[in-house]
């Protein structure tokens, strides 16, 4: 067996050597989730927010046959400008490496890479889930099964209402994934603080979330945790306002026969256009909020391990 082809940015290598808390960040949100140049600005602001909150950011992507754990400035810029990066989930990771292609990692692939690099916590915007109409299309994101098998805590603002949220929660429950709402009882719905559905579990402090992850490992249970962190009040788009926009985007996707990996990027860019950029502002605010919580959790895990 050979070792995984990982390469670390100088900042992440140093943090690893010093045993400092590290937060993984995905790159599909950069290449397929937001338009240029807001994608680059957001990626840089999220990294800065992680640093300000006492941890080191590790944005993860595939380039030149290597998994990059932490991107240097020029690499981040190049990635934000490319429009032909592969969207790399669990199924694509090895092929992308073998081709030497540029790949942006989804939640699933970022979890795999973070775990290989010894990183326990990962911040993103929203996770993939069970798509509406999955009973016909079978479109269920690999993110859900990754949460069931890879021991990384993922901080997200819940899942977008472009998905079937009740089915998404059911699949997570079936696979034994703890879904923990932070500081409230309801499962958040990305742009809105509440989905109207109760979250299965709740935590009110980063310390509690860190202890739960460590306890899970001590029980020998595989898999991670989904931490559902509601968007800050002032950035929220009310459910009444966003739901009709989502319905319109979904109808267009169906009419145009958009399928498989193209579904999520198509819906995100249509919702961006239909809200005249407001969805993107909210998206940026919630990712920053998730970066802060993830840094706090990573700090607590590091402190607990030191004893
Ligand atoms: N949901 C969002 N924003 C995103 C994604 C999902 O609200 O950027 C991206 C993430 O990288 C996620 C991926 O892991 O899409 C899920 O894609 P799929 O549904 O094809 O598995
Ligand atoms: Mn899918």
């Amino acid at each position: 067996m050979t070792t995984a082809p990982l390469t670390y940015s100088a900042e992440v290598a140093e943090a690893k050597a010093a045993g400092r808390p590290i937060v993984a960040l995905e790159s599909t949100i950069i290449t397929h989730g937001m338009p240029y140049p807001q994608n680059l600005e957001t990626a840089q602001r999220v990294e800065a927010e992680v640093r300000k909150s006492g941890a080191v950011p590790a944005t993860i992507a595939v380039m030149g046959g290597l998994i990059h754990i932490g991107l240097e400035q020029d690499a981040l810029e190049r990635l934000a400008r490319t429009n032909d990066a592969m969207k790399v989930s669990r199924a694509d990771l090895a092929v992308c490496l073998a081709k030497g292609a540029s790949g942006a990692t989804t939640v699933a692939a970022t979890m795999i890479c973070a775990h290989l690099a010894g990183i326990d916590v990962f911040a993103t915007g929203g996770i993939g889930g069970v798509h509406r109409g999955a009973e016909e299309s079978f479109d269920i994101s690999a993110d859900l099964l990754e949460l069931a098998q890879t021991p990384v805590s993922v901080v997200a603002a819940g899942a977008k209402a472009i998905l079937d949220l009740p089915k998404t929660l059911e699949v997570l429950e079936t696979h034994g994934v703890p879904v923990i709402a932070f500081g409230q009882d309801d499962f958040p719905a990305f742009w809105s603080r509440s989905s109207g559905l109760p979250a299965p579990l709740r935590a009110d402090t980063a310390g509690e979330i860190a202890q739960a992850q460590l306890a899970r490992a001590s029980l020998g249970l595989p898999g991670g945790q989904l931490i559902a962190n509601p968007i800050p009040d002032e950035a929220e788009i009310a459910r009444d306002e966003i739901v009709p926009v989502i319905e319109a985007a979904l109808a267009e996707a169906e009419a145009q026969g958009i399928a498989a990996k193209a579904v999520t990027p198509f819906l995100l860019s249509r919702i961006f256009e239909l809200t005249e950029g407001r969805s993107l502002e909210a998206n940026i605010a919630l990712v920053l909020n998730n970066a802060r919580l993830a840094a706090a959790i990573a700090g607590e895990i590091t402190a607990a391990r030191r004893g």
Side-chain angles (χ1 to χ4, degrees):
M1 194 153 139
T2 54
T3 53
L6 300 182
T7 181
Y8 294 90
S9 66
E11 186 187 16
V12 174
E14 220 169 276
K16 265 181 77 78
R20 295 185 51 207
I22 302 172
V23 171
L25 300 166
E26 62 153 309
S27 44
T28 294
I29 192 173
I30 302 173
T31 56
H32 295 72
M34 292 184 186
Y36 181 84
Q38 290 97 330
N39 60 349
L40 178 60
E41 277 163 36
T42 304
Q44 290 167 332
R45 283 177 65 189
V46 172
E47 289 196 349
E49 200 70 22
V50 171
R51 291 187 193 101
K52 220 169 73 190
S53 309
V56 166
T59 301
I60 293 178
V62 180
M63 281 179 229
L66 293 170
I67 296 171
H68 290 250
I69 309 291
L71 296 182
E72 307 291 356
Q73 260 323 298
D74 58 330
L76 188 65
E77 279 188 39
R78 243 182 298 127
L79 189 72
R81 284 172 195 276
T82 43
N83 38 30
D84 60 353
M86 280 176 77
K87 175 178 163 185
V88 174
S89 192
R90 167 175 275 265
D92 317 290
L93 192 52
V95 171
C96 184
L97 284 165
K99 279 183 195 290
S102 288
T105 50
T106 62
V107 169
T110 305
M111 289 180 74
I112 294 169
C113 300
H115 181 52
L116 287 169
I119 301 172
D120 308 295
V121 184
F122 161 23
T124 185
I127 61 157
V130 180
H131 279 268
R132 299 205 202 174
E135 59 275 28
E136 284 292 322
S137 68
F138 276 55
D139 190 348
I140 301 175
S141 176
D143 293 353
L144 302 184
L145 296 179
E146 205 59 52
L147 280 161
Q149 59 184 314
T150 301
V152 172
S153 280
V154 178
V155 183
K160 291 203 168 101
I162 58 176
L163 301 170
D164 186 322
L165 297 182
K167 287 196 183 72
T168 298
L169 290 173
E170 288 297 342
V171 169
L172 287 165
E173 182 186 57
T174 301
H175 290 278
V177 177
V179 177
I180 306 171
F182 185 66
Q184 67 178 32
D185 293 324
D186 276 10
F187 185 65
F190 201 81
W191 296 293
S192 317
R193 286 176 64 81
S194 172
S195 60
L197 303 165
L201 297 161
R202 168 179 177 153
D204 291 285
T205 65
E208 223 180 298
I209 295 165
Q211 287 303 330
Q213 173 149 337
L214 295 168
R216 194 171 166 85
S218 76
L219 295 172
L221 295 172
Q225 317 188 98
L226 175 59
I227 313 306
N229 189 26
I231 184 171
D233 254 327
E234 63 281 5
E236 173 178 48
I237 305 180
R239 238 185 322 155
D240 300 352
E241 199 180 324
I242 198 74
V243 166
V245 173
I246 293 168
E247 301 290 347
L250 283 164
E252 283 181 41
E254 170 144 13
Q256 294 181 36
I258 309 290
K261 291 167 79 115
V263 173
T264 302
F266 175 88
L267 293 173
L268 294 182
S269 90
R270 277 308 284 148
I271 293 167
F272 170 72
E273 288 159 11
L274 292 168
T275 60
E276 290 163 353
R278 256 195 84 204
S279 66
L280 183 61
E281 272 171 52
N283 198 340
I284 293 169
L286 67 85
V287 182
L288 293 171
N289 190 45
N290 295 343
R292 285 189 287 273
L293 179 57
I297 298 166
E300 293 283 352
I301 291 179
T302 303
R305 287 227 179 91
R306 287 217 181 98

